[in-house]
Amino acid sequence: MNIKSICCIGAGYVGGPTMAVIAQKNPDIKVTVVDLNAQRIADWNHTDLKKLPIYEPGLDEVVAEARGRNLFFSTEVDKAIDAAELIFISVNTPTKNYGAGKGMAADLKYVELCARQIAKVATSDKIVVEKSTLPVKTAEAIQNILDHTGNGVDFQILSNPEFLAEGTAMRDLAVPDRVLIGGDSSSSKGQQAIQALVDIYSSWVPKENILTTNVWSSELSKLTANAFLAQRVSSINALSELCEATGADVQEVAKAIGMDSRIGPKFLQASVGFGGSCFQKDILNLVYIAKSLGLDEVADYWHHVILMNNHQRDRFAKNIIKTLYSTVNGKTIAFLGWAFKKDTNDTRESAAIYVADLLMDEQATIKVFDPKVTATQMQADLNYLNTRPEDENATYLKTERDPYAALEGAHALAVLTEWDEFKTYDWQRIYNKMQKPAFVFDGRNVLDRAALETIGFIYKGIGS
Ligand code: UDX
Ligand code: ADP
């Protein structure tokens, strides 16, 4: 089967970049990305490529190449569904904040709505590909809805989990470690569907990097990959506390263990804690699935990865408070960075939100500078956390568009995101502007400790 028309439901951090690359690499396939959010679609269609709704290095160039040629962004969901032979579901699957599984299970509301919409609209056979991070067995639910509410057309469901990391998404998409496609190879229609998706990726991904499995293996692999990555971060973060208590340096330890080829050097950077839309959500989901199956030891094992992450954020905030003579009431703490990692404007589950919240509990004023995150987004993040009235969030959290302004008169500065530009600042100028003693709490271990200490800063990194 030669696919000529693709629809992607959901123009977010996954759908947008992924479809841009699929369209770039397959100029003969028409790719339409749809979203209910009209503003988001308008931003994707903006003539000024700096106004795209997602900041991702290199994304603007790919959009410039494909948009209007074979890549389209639209709010006409039904029309795009019906016109497509293959539909990606790329909508958000946040952790449930109500009812059964609250705080743990993934909320499949948006995915289910998509399935129902496809069932209602489709008048010809479709391949439906789940692209969002989903709990295992979701494909089964989608299949069920489509089979029982559709217009008698045939639906083949595939799982094609996304492994891109934000900030490096364009490279991850262009040169993926692997593309994983789960499908039902027991029927000829299932085989054809798998092959159709393999063909799309084969335009640029070597065949040996395209892995096909059954649907459940594919879904579980996505959760497992994220759980393993997050576990490495929690493991090194657990060690960071031990290092601080004993005089070892966690960066030296990370280097030493990372040189063991069985361990490898990646994902051993101690930090204030991992964030992002995937790690916590996927692990909680894994824990929920294990618990539902009565596998309590498995659930507890993975849950500790999250508990360690919460502890690390907490510990960071408490260390600031303790170091500032056990009171931050009325003091100003400047934050460099709010995004959950560098090179993205995404703030979901960012450690900065939780650290700010804890400091605001102690009535500190937070002044934030982030190169890509808007003031509105920061307020929205705190309001979503919902620990205090919105007007208090607005009172205690201030945003600056200039880093030097954020640091003016601050009692301490905390680095929450590892943006490269922080290293290039005029640190003597910053020192002159801050209250003395001037403290730096480097939650990412990215600043030059020796240089800062020479200027006169009191520097506290993670794990040393
Ligand atoms: C992750 C997975 O890497 C990706 O494959 C999946 O598709 C989605 O989830 P992402 O969340 O975009 O990607 O970013 P990632 O680079 O994995 O970082 C996650 C968090 O861990 C960030 O907050 C990062 O700062 C933190 N981290 C990562 C560390 O604290 N230390 C490390 O050594 C690595
Ligand atoms: P992700 O990181 O998974 O891409 P995002 O929240 O960035 O998550 O993007 C998901 C997008 O899906 C949002 O822009 C949201 O408006 C969109 N969406 C959710 N449900 C639907 C739906 N039923 N139809 C169309 N778009 C949807």
Side-chain angles (χ1 to χ4, degrees):
M1 193 187 327
N2 222 347
I3 300 292
K4 286 275 155 252
S5 177
I6 290 176
C7 164
C8 172
I9 308 179
Y13 284 90
V14 172
T18 309
M19 292 308 120
V21 172
I22 287 184
Q24 180 201 31
K25 306 289 187 186
N26 293 279
D28 298 335
I29 302 179
K30 182 177 176 187
V31 181
T32 307
V33 189
V34 293
D35 204 295
L36 296 174
N37 183 336
Q39 184 58 51
R40 216 167 209 192
I41 292 298
D43 290 343
W44 278 111
N45 282 321
H46 210 290
T47 42
D48 179 358
L49 290 165
K50 299 252 168 313
K51 300 267 162 60
L52 296 182
I54 285 167
Y55 173 69
E56 188 63 57
L59 174 64
D60 48 355
E61 286 159 41
V62 179
V63 170
E65 183 185 336
R67 197 177 61 186
R69 179 189 71 189
N70 65 323
L71 175 65
F72 302 92
F73 294 93
S74 163
T75 49
E76 293 188 281
V77 180
D78 289 356
K79 193 173 149 198
I81 289 175
D82 198 30
E85 298 145 48
L86 187 143
I87 301 164
F88 285 97
I89 299 183
S90 216
V91 300
N92 32 337
T93 49
T95 303
K96 270 185 92 175
N97 58 2
Y98 57 89
K102 178 178 172 180
M104 300 206 102
D107 192 341
L108 293 184
K109 172 172 75 176
Y110 304 105
V111 173
E112 182 172 339
L113 282 172
C114 280
R116 291 190 185 279
Q117 195 147 2
I118 295 169
K120 194 174 81 190
V121 172
T123 54
S124 56
D125 294 354
K126 311 278 178 216
I127 299 170
V128 177
V129 186
E130 51 165 42
K131 191 82 194 156
S132 325
T133 304
L134 295 164
V136 266
K137 304 260 171 181
T138 308
E140 204 173 73
I142 298 176
Q143 182 86 61
N144 230 292
I145 292 168
L146 291 175
D147 285 351
H148 290 95
T149 50
N151 305 323
V153 298
D154 181 70
F155 294 106
Q156 290 299 321
I157 317 296
L158 301 177
S159 157
N160 174 218
E162 188 47 72
F163 293 107
L164 66 80
E166 288 171 30
T168 53
M170 303 318 282
R171 199 198 59 215
D172 297 343
L173 286 163
V175 210
D177 286 350
R178 79 317 210 171
V179 167
L180 183 56
I181 298 173
D184 171 17
S185 56
S186 67
S187 74
S188 67
K189 280 199 164 156
Q191 284 167 13
Q192 278 170 20
I194 294 169
Q195 193 54 46
L197 191 54
V198 168
D199 289 345
I200 291 169
Y201 282 107
S202 300
S203 304
W204 79 98
V205 180
K207 283 249 177 341
E208 56 275 19
N209 290 10
I210 304 178
L211 199 65
T212 57
T213 63
N214 74 34
V215 173
W216 300 290
S217 299
S218 166
E219 289 180 316
L220 188 57
S221 299
K222 165 73 182 187
L223 293 189
T224 309
N226 279 339
F228 269 61
L229 291 169
Q231 182 199 40
R232 281 176 71 99
V233 178
S234 275
S235 295
I236 198 72
N237 281 346
L239 260 303
S240 73
E241 191 172 12
L242 187 60
C243 287
E244 284 167 29
T246 55
D249 180 332
V250 79
Q251 295 190 80
E252 290 176 356
V253 174
K255 187 167 181 196
I257 63 170
M259 285 171 77
D260 185 323
S261 60
R262 293 167 301 176
I263 297 173
K266 293 181 182 165
F267 269 75
L268 287 178
Q269 174 65 45
S271 70
V272 56
F274 59 74
S277 69
C278 286
F279 281 4
Q280 173 163 310
K281 180 186 79 177
D282 287 357
I283 293 176
L284 286 174
N285 208 8
L286 193 62
V287 170
Y288 183 70
I289 290 167
K291 264 200 187 313
S292 312
L293 294 167
L295 309 177
D296 288 344
E297 288 78 6
V298 178
D300 289 349
Y301 176 77
W302 287 107
H303 196 211
H304 271 82
V305 173
I306 301 285
L307 297 181
M308 181 49 64
N309 199 50
N310 297 347
H311 172 66
Q312 190 75 347
R313 296 187 307 226
D314 239 58
R315 196 167 86 71
F316 186 75
K318 285 187 181 141
N319 190 23
I320 294 178
I321 297 163
K322 193 170 137 228
T323 309
L324 296 185
Y325 317 106
S326 295
T327 176
V328 288
N329 181 325
K331 292 182 181 169
T332 298
I333 321 283
F335 273 25
L336 286 180
W338 187 265
F340 81 96
K341 63 188 278 197
K342 73 173 181 179
D343 292 338
T344 179
N345 60 345
D346 195 348
T347 61
R348 286 176 286 183
E349 293 302 329
S350 179
I353 305 168
Y354 294 91
V355 175
D357 183 58
L358 288 163
L359 293 171
M360 286 158 69
D361 278 347
E362 296 295 322
Q363 304 188 342
T365 298
I366 313 291
K367 274 211 244 169
V368 192
F369 168 77
D370 186 288
K372 293 290 173 194
V373 180
T374 62
T376 319
Q377 184 60 50
M378 294 178 201
Q379 292 297 336
D381 291 335
L382 286 171
N383 294 339
Y384 185 75
L385 205 59
N386 202 18
T387 48
R388 69 178 66 70
E390 296 192 2
D391 59 332
E392 281 184 26
N393 286 334
T395 305
Y396 286 116
L397 187 103
K398 305 286 181 206
T399 313
E400 296 287 351
R401 289 320 309 154
D402 168 58
Y404 297 96
L407 290 150
E408 180 91 53
H411 293 79
L413 114 79
V415 179
L416 276 304
T417 314
E418 69 281 21
W419 287 98
D420 289 333
E421 66 172 66
F422 298 164
K423 295 179 196 152
T424 67
Y425 289 173
D426 180 345
W427 285 96
Q428 181 66 57
R429 186 177 156 207
I430 288 171
Y431 182 77
N432 293 343
K433 279 173 173 281
M434 286 177 65
Q435 306 276 348
K436 311 294 174 315
F439 294 94
V440 176
F441 297 89
D442 189 349
R444 299 281 172 176
N445 288 337
V446 285
L447 299 180
D448 183 339
R449 175 180 199 144
L452 292 182
E453 286 180 343
T454 306
I455 291 171
F457 281 103
I458 298 175
Y459 177 96
K460 303 228 170 212
I462 299 269
S464 61

